Amino acid sequence: MTSIEALAGVIQLAVAPVFLLAAIAGMLAVMSTRLGRIIDRARVIERRIPQTEIDEQLALLRAETTSLWKRIALINWAIRLCVTGALAVCLVIMALFVGEFVVFNIAALV
């Protein structure tokens, strides 16, 4: 098999992981938008806390702030995990190309 045919075969194998990368990029876009909205809401609530005089409203505002900070932490973890997944997919694509042109038993590494 010529190197052009081998390269064509590797590109055919790499198409599916590239679509997975596009899906991860879409998820990252959605999560970053949600994170921005949560942070904006937390800023509004935290600005209201010093101005609140009623104890019941103050307790509600603090509870909502706590909830928003938990959501921020969860979204941050989700973003980290998506980026890790994207890096893993990139490593798979790179391994496909390197494995085709370098005589190396990638199965032993995996």
Side-chain angles (χ1 to χ4, degrees):
M1 185 174 348
T2 67
S3 63
I4 294 176
E5 291 172 350
L7 183 62
V10 171
I11 290 173
Q12 286 175 349
L13 287 175
V15 169
V18 169
F19 283 120
L20 182 60
L21 276 178
I24 291 173
M27 286 292 297
L28 282 171
V30 168
M31 285 189 285
S32 66
T33 301
R34 293 300 303 158
L35 179 63
R37 288 177 183 234
I38 294 168
I39 289 172
D40 290 342
R41 178 69 180 157
R43 286 180 182 158
V44 167
I45 297 298
E46 287 178 349
R47 269 190 248 129
R48 287 185 188 171
I49 288 176
Q51 300 167 355
T52 303
E53 296 176 0
I54 302 171
D55 290 336
E56 293 171 358
Q57 287 181 349
L58 186 62
L60 286 173
L61 290 175
R62 287 190 176 150
E64 187 173 353
T65 302
T66 302
S67 172
L68 289 171
W69 280 104
K70 286 179 185 176
R71 288 175 64 189
I72 289 170
L74 288 173
I75 291 255
N76 280 331
W77 270 105
I79 289 172
R80 286 184 194 119
L81 291 173
C82 277
V83 169
T84 303
L87 290 174
V89 171
C90 288
L91 286 174
V92 167
I93 293 170
M94 185 181 73
L96 284 171
F97 282 99
V98 170
E100 185 65 33
F101 297 108
V102 176
V103 180
F104 177 70
N105 186 6
I106 194 101
L109 178 65
V110 172

XYZ file of all heavy atoms in Angstrom:
837
model
N 0.853 -1.175 0.000
C 0.000 0.000 0.000
C 0.898 1.238 0.000
O 1.849 1.338 0.754
C -0.894 -0.023 1.248
C -1.856 1.087 1.241
S -3.125 1.185 2.538
C -3.187 -0.278 3.424
N 0.570 2.178 -0.837
C 1.371 3.396 -0.919
C 1.060 4.310 0.257
O 0.064 4.133 0.964
C 1.095 4.140 -2.240
O -0.248 4.614 -2.216
C 1.338 3.246 -3.436
N 1.905 5.291 0.454
C 1.709 6.196 1.582
C 0.452 7.053 1.399
O -0.186 7.421 2.379
C 2.936 7.083 1.758
O 3.119 7.896 0.614
N 0.086 7.335 0.157
C -1.135 8.116 -0.080
C -2.364 7.296 0.291
O -3.293 7.802 0.925
C -1.201 8.588 -1.546
C -0.082 9.586 -1.811
C -2.554 9.207 -1.853
C 0.019 10.043 -3.239
N -2.354 6.015 -0.051
C -3.479 5.151 0.311
C -3.545 4.965 1.824
O -4.634 4.937 2.408
C -3.347 3.799 -0.382
C -3.539 3.864 -1.879
C -3.204 2.538 -2.546
O -2.643 1.645 -1.873
O -3.499 2.405 -3.734
N -2.399 4.847 2.465
C -2.371 4.712 3.920
C -2.898 5.976 4.593
O -3.669 5.910 5.563
C -0.949 4.410 4.393
N -2.486 7.122 4.071
C -2.964 8.390 4.619
C -4.474 8.532 4.437
O -5.178 8.979 5.347
C -2.239 9.561 3.962
C -2.585 10.946 4.482
C -2.226 11.070 5.952
C -1.884 12.002 3.662
N -4.983 8.109 3.297
C -6.435 8.164 3.052
C -7.175 7.272 4.040
O -8.234 7.649 4.557
C -6.739 7.757 1.618
N -6.625 6.100 4.324
C -7.254 5.204 5.294
C -7.260 5.785 6.697
O -8.252 5.669 7.434
N -6.173 6.424 7.086
C -6.104 7.033 8.414
C -7.083 8.192 8.518
O -7.755 8.369 9.537
C -4.664 7.502 8.721
C -4.622 8.318 9.996
C -3.740 6.310 8.825
N -7.195 8.975 7.460
C -8.144 10.092 7.477
C -9.576 9.568 7.604
O -10.390 10.141 8.332
C -7.962 10.973 6.226
C -6.627 11.722 6.321
C -9.117 11.950 6.067
C -6.252 12.484 5.077
N -9.871 8.462 6.940
C -11.208 7.865 7.066
C -11.461 7.416 8.503
O -12.567 7.564 9.020
C -11.349 6.683 6.115
C -11.491 7.081 4.669
C -11.500 5.872 3.737
O -11.193 4.755 4.148
N -11.852 6.113 2.488
N -10.453 6.865 9.163
C -10.619 6.444 10.556
C -10.744 7.635 11.509
O -11.389 7.535 12.548
C -9.430 5.585 10.991
C -9.367 4.173 10.436
C -8.072 3.502 10.859
C -10.558 3.369 10.909
N -10.116 8.748 11.161
C -10.102 9.908 12.053
C -11.348 10.764 11.933
O -11.525 11.699 12.725
C -8.864 10.755 11.771
N -12.223 10.484 10.994
C -13.413 11.320 10.791
C -14.354 11.252 11.992
O -14.833 12.282 12.472
C -14.140 10.931 9.490
C -15.497 11.581 9.395
C -13.295 11.322 8.295
N -14.618 10.076 12.520
C -15.553 9.944 13.646
C -15.056 10.692 14.887
O -15.839 11.429 15.506
C -15.802 8.478 13.957
N -13.784 10.554 15.285
C -13.330 11.342 16.437
C -13.387 12.851 16.210
O -13.613 13.617 17.150
C -11.883 10.884 16.644
C -11.806 9.538 16.034
C -12.773 9.561 14.903
N -13.238 13.282 14.970
C -13.330 14.717 14.690
C -14.759 15.192 14.916
O -14.977 16.287 15.457
C -12.845 15.023 13.257
C -13.171 16.440 12.850
C -11.347 14.767 13.146
N -15.751 14.403 14.553
C -17.133 14.774 14.839
C -17.382 14.816 16.339
O -18.138 15.654 16.840
C -18.112 13.813 14.161
C -18.264 14.064 12.691
C -17.956 13.078 11.779
C -18.705 15.282 12.221
C -18.098 13.301 10.416
C -18.856 15.526 10.863
C -18.536 14.524 9.961
N -16.756 13.912 17.076
C -16.865 13.927 18.527
C -16.268 15.217 19.092
O -16.825 15.812 20.019
C -16.177 12.702 19.130
C -16.248 12.562 20.639
C -17.689 12.487 21.117
C -15.488 11.314 21.073
N -15.169 15.654 18.528
C -14.581 16.933 18.951
C -15.541 18.096 18.699
O -15.649 19.010 19.526
C -13.273 17.188 18.213
C -12.019 16.543 18.780
C -10.828 16.852 17.888
C -11.760 16.986 20.188
N -16.227 18.069 17.584
C -17.198 19.127 17.282
C -18.340 19.113 18.300
O -18.799 20.179 18.741
C -17.736 18.957 15.869
N -18.779 17.934 18.689
C -19.841 17.830 19.698
C -19.360 18.342 21.052
O -20.101 19.055 21.750
C -20.301 16.377 19.821
N -18.142 18.024 21.418
C -17.592 18.514 22.681
C -17.473 20.034 22.645
O -17.762 20.713 23.635
C -16.238 17.836 22.981
C -16.454 16.354 23.304
C -15.525 18.520 24.134
C -15.172 15.562 23.452
N -17.079 20.581 21.506
C -16.983 22.036 21.374
C -18.354 22.690 21.554
O -18.472 23.745 22.196
C -16.388 22.402 20.023
N -19.386 22.065 21.012
C -20.741 22.578 21.202
C -21.161 22.552 22.664
O -21.760 23.510 23.176
N -20.835 21.452 23.350
C -21.152 21.356 24.778
C -20.405 22.421 25.575
O -20.962 23.023 26.494
C -20.783 19.968 25.308
C -21.718 18.864 24.874
S -23.343 19.031 25.618
C -22.942 18.849 27.344
N -19.150 22.648 25.227
C -18.373 23.678 25.923
C -18.974 25.062 25.721
O -19.004 25.877 26.651
C -16.920 23.650 25.455
C -16.059 22.540 26.043
C -14.713 22.502 25.341
C -15.880 22.732 27.530
N -19.462 25.323 24.527
C -20.091 26.619 24.260
C -21.340 26.801 25.113
O -21.557 27.868 25.704
C -20.423 26.745 22.779
N -22.154 25.759 25.200
C -23.375 25.833 26.012
C -23.024 26.025 27.478
O -23.607 26.863 28.177
C -24.229 24.563 25.811
C -25.340 24.476 26.829
C -24.798 24.532 24.400
N -22.049 25.265 27.963
C -21.697 25.358 29.382
C -21.072 26.707 29.730
O -21.328 27.245 30.811
C -20.763 24.217 29.775
C -21.498 22.902 29.902
S -20.513 21.593 30.601
C -19.472 21.192 29.219
N -20.269 27.261 28.839
C -19.682 28.570 29.141
C -20.754 29.658 29.156
O -20.693 30.584 29.979
C -18.571 28.906 28.155
O -19.087 29.068 26.856
N -21.757 29.535 28.300
C -22.871 30.486 28.322
C -23.649 30.370 29.624
O -23.982 31.380 30.249
C -23.801 30.243 27.121
O -23.048 30.385 25.920
C -24.964 31.219 27.119
N -23.916 29.132 30.040
C -24.641 28.919 31.297
C -23.838 29.448 32.479
O -24.386 30.056 33.397
C -24.947 27.433 31.513
C -25.927 26.847 30.538
C -27.268 27.523 30.560
N -27.869 27.507 31.882
C -28.796 28.360 32.286
N -29.258 29.265 31.476
N -29.280 28.289 33.495
N -22.531 29.243 32.450
C -21.678 29.736 33.530
C -21.742 31.264 33.608
O -21.842 31.829 34.702
C -20.235 29.264 33.320
C -19.213 29.725 34.357
C -19.564 29.175 35.734
C -17.823 29.286 33.949
N -21.719 31.910 32.474
C -21.828 33.367 32.454
C -23.132 33.854 33.043
O -23.169 34.832 33.813
N -24.224 33.184 32.713
C -25.529 33.583 33.244
C -25.603 33.362 34.750
O -26.174 34.172 35.490
C -26.645 32.817 32.552
C -26.858 33.275 31.136
C -27.920 32.433 30.461
N -28.058 32.840 29.081
C -29.200 33.196 28.533
N -30.304 33.181 29.251
N -29.252 33.548 27.276
N -25.038 32.248 35.218
C -25.054 31.976 36.655
C -24.230 33.022 37.400
O -24.642 33.520 38.452
C -24.530 30.550 36.936
C -25.487 29.508 36.363
C -24.354 30.321 38.426
C -24.924 28.106 36.341
N -23.080 33.375 36.853
C -22.231 34.383 37.499
C -22.934 35.739 37.522
O -22.894 36.446 38.540
C -20.865 34.465 36.797
C -20.067 33.205 37.108
C -20.107 35.716 37.208
C -18.778 33.081 36.331
N -23.596 36.096 36.442
C -24.342 37.362 36.413
C -25.424 37.370 37.488
O -25.617 38.366 38.192
C -24.961 37.601 35.043
C -23.923 37.917 33.982
O -22.781 38.280 34.348
O -24.255 37.798 32.780
N -26.142 36.258 37.613
C -27.198 36.162 38.633
C -26.601 36.238 40.035
O -27.161 36.909 40.912
C -27.980 34.854 38.453
C -29.056 34.628 39.471
C -30.193 35.597 39.309
N -31.199 35.329 40.319
C -32.077 36.214 40.724
N -32.118 37.399 40.176
N -32.937 35.915 41.654
N -25.468 35.595 40.261
C -24.824 35.645 41.578
C -24.402 37.071 41.922
O -24.537 37.510 43.074
C -23.624 34.703 41.612
N -23.913 37.801 40.941
C -23.517 39.204 41.188
C -24.724 40.054 41.585
O -24.639 40.891 42.489
C -22.853 39.784 39.952
C -21.465 39.267 39.735
C -20.856 39.874 38.498
N -19.523 39.331 38.273
C -18.915 39.337 37.110
N -19.502 39.872 36.051
N -17.710 38.839 36.988
N -25.844 39.847 40.917
C -27.056 40.619 41.241
C -27.511 40.302 42.663
O -27.824 41.210 43.449
C -28.180 40.312 40.217
C -29.521 40.843 40.699
C -27.826 40.876 38.863
N -27.542 39.028 43.006
C -27.993 38.621 44.341
C -27.034 39.148 45.408
O -27.464 39.640 46.453
C -28.106 37.081 44.423
C -29.169 36.569 43.449
C -28.433 36.631 45.846
C -30.556 37.057 43.724
N -25.731 39.049 45.154
C -24.760 39.509 46.159
C -24.809 41.032 46.339
O -24.477 41.526 47.410
C -23.359 39.041 45.785
C -23.182 37.557 46.011
C -21.826 37.038 45.597
O -21.062 37.771 44.939
O -21.537 35.880 45.935
N -25.217 41.773 45.310
C -25.395 43.218 45.466
C -26.627 43.551 46.310
O -26.670 44.594 46.949
C -25.512 43.886 44.096
C -24.176 44.332 43.564
C -24.342 45.209 42.339
N -23.813 44.442 41.203
C -24.442 44.221 40.071
N -25.636 44.711 39.874
N -23.892 43.509 39.126
N -27.619 42.672 46.282
C -28.845 42.920 47.049
C -28.669 42.621 48.539
O -29.405 43.168 49.363
C -29.988 42.056 46.517
C -30.536 42.493 45.214
C -31.728 41.640 44.860
N -32.191 41.903 43.518
C -33.106 41.191 42.903
N -33.671 40.168 43.522
N -33.476 41.488 41.679
N -27.752 41.748 48.897
C -27.621 41.304 50.292
C -27.372 42.465 51.258
O -28.053 42.562 52.287
C -26.547 40.197 50.412
C -27.089 38.911 49.792
C -26.150 39.963 51.867
C -26.114 37.762 49.761
N -26.429 43.383 51.007
C -26.213 44.467 51.974
C -27.404 45.421 52.111
O -27.565 46.070 53.151
C -25.002 45.227 51.408
C -24.349 44.301 50.465
C -25.421 43.410 49.944
N -28.255 45.493 51.086
C -29.375 46.429 51.113
C -30.618 45.836 51.775
O -31.574 46.558 52.049
C -29.721 46.851 49.686
C -28.580 47.521 48.968
C -28.832 47.654 47.479
O -29.829 47.152 46.959
N -27.921 48.334 46.782
N -30.605 44.531 52.039
C -31.787 43.860 52.579
C -31.851 44.040 54.092
O -30.867 43.835 54.796
C -31.751 42.353 52.239
O -31.648 42.224 50.828
C -32.991 41.650 52.718
N -33.019 44.417 54.568
C -33.209 44.646 56.002
C -34.065 43.561 56.648
O -33.984 43.351 57.850
C -33.839 46.019 56.232
C -32.939 47.154 55.770
C -33.595 48.507 55.901
O -34.761 48.577 56.356
O -32.945 49.496 55.550
N -34.884 42.872 55.868
C -35.766 41.838 56.411
C -34.985 40.534 56.501
O -34.360 40.089 55.528
C -37.019 41.678 55.526
C -37.757 43.018 55.446
C -37.928 40.585 56.064
C -38.884 43.025 54.441
N -35.027 39.904 57.668
C -34.235 38.693 57.908
C -34.649 37.535 57.010
O -33.797 36.757 56.573
C -34.347 38.277 59.380
C -33.623 39.254 60.302
O -32.703 39.938 59.812
O -33.970 39.318 61.500
N -35.933 37.411 56.732
C -36.402 36.317 55.889
C -35.862 36.457 54.464
O -35.429 35.482 53.848
C -37.928 36.260 55.878
C -38.528 35.886 57.212
C -40.027 36.050 57.219
O -40.602 36.482 56.197
O -40.630 35.727 58.258
N -35.909 37.660 53.946
C -35.366 37.900 52.599
C -33.855 37.702 52.575
O -33.317 37.159 51.608
C -35.708 39.317 52.131
C -37.148 39.509 51.759
C -37.414 40.937 51.283
O -36.565 41.817 51.433
N -38.612 41.147 50.739
N -33.185 38.113 53.636
C -31.742 37.933 53.723
C -31.375 36.449 53.709
O -30.433 36.035 53.026
C -31.204 38.615 54.983
C -29.695 38.633 55.154
C -29.039 39.407 54.019
C -29.328 39.251 56.491
N -32.146 35.654 54.439
C -31.894 34.206 54.461
C -32.123 33.602 53.073
O -31.348 32.731 52.634
C -32.790 33.536 55.496
N -33.173 34.046 52.389
C -33.444 33.546 51.038
C -32.332 33.935 50.064
O -31.905 33.120 49.234
C -34.790 34.071 50.532
C -36.043 33.454 51.139
C -37.282 34.190 50.653
C -36.129 31.989 50.794
N -31.864 35.173 50.160
C -30.789 35.624 49.274
C -29.498 34.837 49.535
O -28.795 34.453 48.596
C -30.543 37.122 49.443
C -31.640 38.046 48.917
C -31.331 39.500 49.270
C -31.811 37.889 47.420
N -29.185 34.604 50.792
C -27.983 33.829 51.113
C -28.114 32.382 50.650
O -27.146 31.787 50.166
C -27.698 33.896 52.606
C -27.168 35.251 53.005
C -26.669 35.273 54.411
N -26.083 36.575 54.696
C -26.064 37.142 55.880
N -26.589 36.508 56.909
N -25.503 38.319 56.051
N -29.307 31.806 50.781
C -29.524 30.432 50.307
C -29.377 30.362 48.790
O -28.770 29.416 48.257
C -30.907 29.939 50.736
N -29.910 31.366 48.103
C -29.776 31.369 46.644
C -28.324 31.567 46.222
O -27.854 30.934 45.270
C -30.652 32.465 46.022
C -30.666 32.401 44.516
C -31.650 33.364 43.875
O -32.431 34.017 44.589
O -31.633 33.454 42.636
N -27.595 32.409 46.945
C -26.178 32.609 46.648
C -25.399 31.308 46.836
O -24.557 30.948 46.005
C -25.591 33.716 47.548
O -26.322 34.915 47.334
C -24.130 33.961 47.236
N -25.689 30.602 47.904
C -25.027 29.311 48.149
C -25.333 28.333 47.027
O -24.437 27.634 46.530
C -25.487 28.732 49.501
O -25.190 29.667 50.530
C -24.793 27.416 49.794
N -26.587 28.297 46.603
C -26.986 27.408 45.506
C -26.276 27.785 44.205
O -25.808 26.903 43.459
C -28.503 27.484 45.320
O -28.898 26.788 44.176
N -26.176 29.070 43.935
C -25.511 29.508 42.714
C -24.023 29.154 42.733
O -23.465 28.749 41.706
C -25.700 31.014 42.521
C -27.116 31.456 42.146
C -27.233 32.975 42.193
C -27.500 30.926 40.779
N -23.377 29.298 43.878
C -21.957 28.941 43.950
C -21.739 27.441 43.776
O -20.735 27.012 43.197
C -21.332 29.440 45.256
C -21.008 30.896 45.156
C -21.690 31.940 45.709
C -19.943 31.477 44.403
N -21.114 33.131 45.352
C -20.030 32.875 44.553
C -18.920 30.958 43.614
C -19.140 33.763 43.953
C -18.032 31.838 43.021
C -18.144 33.213 43.184
N -22.689 26.635 44.234
C -22.596 25.186 43.991
C -22.728 24.889 42.494
O -22.009 24.048 41.952
C -23.676 24.433 44.771
C -23.403 24.359 46.246
C -24.518 23.631 46.970
C -24.307 23.658 48.466
N -25.423 23.030 49.201
N -23.656 25.597 41.842
C -23.821 25.411 40.401
C -22.578 25.844 39.637
O -22.173 25.200 38.659
C -25.039 26.204 39.915
C -26.354 25.596 40.351
C -27.527 26.465 39.956
N -27.640 26.567 38.511
C -28.473 27.396 37.900
N -29.246 28.201 38.603
N -28.517 27.435 36.592
N -21.949 26.933 40.088
C -20.717 27.392 39.450
C -19.633 26.327 39.573
O -18.928 26.029 38.596
C -20.262 28.736 40.062
C -21.197 29.864 39.621
C -18.818 29.048 39.691
C -20.982 31.178 40.356
N -19.512 25.733 40.746
C -18.502 24.687 40.948
C -18.778 23.476 40.056
O -17.846 22.909 39.454
C -18.465 24.268 42.419
N -20.039 23.093 39.941
C -20.388 21.944 39.095
C -20.108 22.222 37.621
O -19.592 21.359 36.901
C -21.857 21.568 39.300
C -22.191 20.906 40.628
C -23.704 20.743 40.768
C -21.495 19.567 40.756
N -20.451 23.412 37.165
C -20.186 23.754 35.755
C -18.689 23.797 35.497
O -18.224 23.365 34.436
C -20.835 25.113 35.403
C -22.335 24.981 35.404
C -20.326 25.636 34.081
C -23.007 24.952 34.069
N -17.914 24.321 36.456
C -16.466 24.331 36.282
C -15.917 22.916 36.138
O -15.053 22.657 35.299
C -15.790 25.059 37.445
C -15.832 26.556 37.294
O -15.861 27.076 36.186
N -15.842 27.264 38.408
N -16.414 21.990 36.960
C -15.979 20.587 36.835
C -16.396 20.001 35.496
O -15.640 19.267 34.862
C -16.529 19.744 37.986
C -15.603 19.734 39.146
C -15.744 20.399 40.325
C -14.356 19.043 39.228
N -14.669 20.165 41.127
C -13.799 19.335 40.484
C -13.656 18.217 38.353
C -12.571 18.817 40.889
C -12.437 17.707 38.769
C -11.905 17.996 40.021
N -17.602 20.309 35.053
C -18.069 19.799 33.762
C -17.202 20.320 32.623
O -16.865 19.573 31.691
C -19.534 20.181 33.544
N -16.821 21.580 32.696
C -15.952 22.149 31.658
C -14.593 21.473 31.678
O -14.046 21.119 30.625
C -15.836 23.676 31.834
C -17.162 24.342 31.462
C -14.688 24.251 31.016
C -17.233 25.824 31.768
N -14.053 21.269 32.875
C -12.760 20.569 32.974
C -12.830 19.170 32.378
O -11.917 18.737 31.665
C -12.328 20.479 34.434
C -11.843 21.767 35.011
C -11.332 21.556 36.442
N -11.178 22.829 37.086
C -11.832 23.199 38.183
N -12.676 22.366 38.767
N -11.640 24.378 38.711
N -13.898 18.454 32.676
C -14.037 17.094 32.161
C -14.221 17.079 30.645
O -13.692 16.195 29.953
C -15.191 16.381 32.860
C -14.943 16.063 34.336
C -16.210 15.511 34.981
C -13.796 15.094 34.504
N -14.945 18.048 30.106
C -15.096 18.138 28.643
C -13.766 18.426 27.969
O -13.453 17.841 26.926
C -16.118 19.211 28.275
S -17.818 18.650 28.340
N -12.991 19.318 28.553
C -11.679 19.623 27.984
C -10.774 18.395 28.054
O -10.050 18.095 27.102
C -11.044 20.836 28.706
C -9.587 21.005 28.336
C -11.821 22.097 28.371
N -10.836 17.660 29.156
C -10.061 16.424 29.271
C -10.487 15.412 28.216
O -9.646 14.756 27.593
C -10.229 15.815 30.680
O -9.833 16.790 31.649
C -9.393 14.571 30.846
N -11.791 15.299 27.995
C -12.284 14.402 26.951
C -11.817 14.822 25.567
O -11.448 13.984 24.739
N -11.826 16.126 25.315
C -11.360 16.629 24.015
C -9.877 16.335 23.825
O -9.452 15.936 22.729
C -11.627 18.124 23.905
N -9.093 16.506 24.879
C -7.665 16.182 24.781
C -7.450 14.697 24.527
O -6.567 14.311 23.759
C -6.933 16.630 26.046
C -6.789 18.137 26.226
C -6.174 18.449 27.587
C -5.948 18.732 25.120
N -8.271 13.861 25.159
C -8.154 12.416 24.931
C -8.487 12.063 23.481
O -7.816 11.224 22.867
C -9.069 11.653 25.894
N -9.509 12.694 22.931
C -9.864 12.449 21.527
C -8.730 12.911 20.613
O -8.397 12.236 19.631
C -11.199 13.142 21.169
C -11.472 13.077 19.681
C -12.343 12.492 21.937
N -8.129 14.047 20.940
C -6.987 14.522 20.142
C -5.830 13.529 20.198
O -5.157 13.295 19.187
C -6.533 15.889 20.640
S -7.668 17.217 20.241
N -5.605 12.948 21.373
C -4.546 11.936 21.488
C -4.858 10.701 20.653
O -3.960 10.103 20.053
C -4.346 11.551 22.951
C -3.627 12.573 23.808
C -3.617 12.124 25.270
C -2.215 12.788 23.317
N -6.128 10.317 20.590
C -6.523 9.178 19.759
C -6.248 9.483 18.286
O -5.704 8.640 17.551
C -8.007 8.825 19.978
C -8.516 7.875 18.920
C -8.203 8.234 21.363
N -6.623 10.666 17.851
C -6.392 11.047 16.447
C -4.896 11.074 16.150
O -4.443 10.560 15.120
C -7.051 12.405 16.144
C -8.577 12.277 16.224
C -6.645 12.911 14.767
C -9.309 13.597 16.182
N -4.141 11.641 17.074
C -2.691 11.684 16.879
C -2.111 10.272 16.843
O -1.245 9.964 16.021
C -2.038 12.490 18.000
C -0.559 12.697 17.810
S 0.176 13.612 19.163
C 0.169 12.366 20.436
N -2.600 9.392 17.712
C -2.112 8.008 17.738
C -2.441 7.286 16.436
O -1.658 6.444 15.974
C -2.715 7.263 18.921
N -3.597 7.599 15.833
C -3.939 6.994 14.546
C -2.917 7.354 13.481
O -2.448 6.486 12.729
C -5.329 7.448 14.098
C -6.521 6.808 14.789
C -7.804 7.525 14.403
C -6.608 5.345 14.428
N -2.562 8.624 13.406
C -1.602 9.058 12.391
C -0.196 8.551 12.696
O 0.500 8.062 11.805
C -1.607 10.585 12.263
C -2.778 11.100 11.478
C -3.894 11.604 12.113
C -2.764 11.063 10.094
C -4.979 12.069 11.394
C -3.848 11.518 9.358
C -4.954 12.023 10.008
N 0.222 8.654 13.939
C 1.569 8.198 14.297
C 1.675 6.688 14.136
O 2.674 6.182 13.625
C 1.916 8.638 15.735
C 3.192 7.977 16.223
C 2.054 10.152 15.807
N 0.651 5.978 14.543
C 0.667 4.522 14.448
C 0.719 4.003 13.024
O 1.206 2.901 12.772
N 0.213 4.777 12.097
C 0.212 4.351 10.706
C 1.585 4.508 10.062
O 1.978 3.700 9.221
C -0.824 5.147 9.910
C -0.991 4.706 8.486
C -1.540 3.301 8.347
O -2.353 2.887 9.197
O -1.135 2.604 7.398
N 2.320 5.506 10.460
C 3.569 5.810 9.776
C 4.820 5.459 10.572
O 5.924 5.528 10.052
C 3.595 7.291 9.385
C 2.508 7.627 8.408
C 1.416 8.372 8.791
C 2.562 7.159 7.107
C 0.398 8.660 7.896
C 1.558 7.436 6.193
C 0.474 8.189 6.603
N 4.676 5.096 11.825
C 5.791 4.676 12.649
C 5.557 3.238 13.061
O 4.460 2.878 13.474
C 5.916 5.583 13.911
C 7.015 5.088 14.818
C 6.148 7.018 13.515
N 6.571 2.425 12.936
C 6.437 1.027 13.320
C 6.524 0.962 14.850
O 7.591 1.006 15.446
C 7.546 0.162 12.673
C 7.387 -1.275 13.087
C 7.506 0.316 11.175
N 5.347 0.935 15.449
C 5.241 0.935 16.890
C 3.958 0.211 17.271
O 2.901 0.462 16.690
C 5.203 2.381 17.419
C 5.017 2.502 18.894
C 6.029 2.123 19.756
C 3.843 2.993 19.414
C 5.856 2.233 21.124
C 3.659 3.113 20.778
C 4.680 2.734 21.641
N 4.039 -0.703 18.215
C 2.859 -1.465 18.620
C 2.071 -0.623 19.622
O 2.326 -0.655 20.817
C 3.287 -2.806 19.227
C 2.086 -3.692 19.520
O 0.960 -3.344 19.178
N 2.348 -4.821 20.136
N 1.106 0.130 19.124
C 0.311 1.013 19.979
C -0.617 0.209 20.899
O -1.005 0.678 21.947
C -0.482 2.035 19.135
C -1.039 3.149 20.003
C -1.645 1.398 18.444
C -0.251 4.375 19.938
N -0.927 -1.025 20.515
C -1.801 -1.860 21.331
C -1.168 -2.141 22.692
O -1.868 -2.208 23.701
C -2.127 -3.166 20.614
N 0.127 -2.294 22.731
C 0.817 -2.546 24.002
C 0.700 -1.326 24.904
O 0.522 -1.456 26.130
C 2.270 -2.876 23.755
N 0.771 -0.133 24.342
C 0.637 1.091 25.136
C -0.780 1.264 25.654
O -0.983 1.625 26.803
C 1.033 2.314 24.295
C 0.894 3.684 24.965
C 1.865 3.788 26.132
C 1.133 4.780 23.973
N -1.747 0.949 24.804
C -3.151 1.108 25.201
C -3.485 0.082 26.272
O -4.101 0.339 27.256
C -4.086 0.938 23.997
C -5.533 0.899 24.430
C -3.851 2.067 23.017
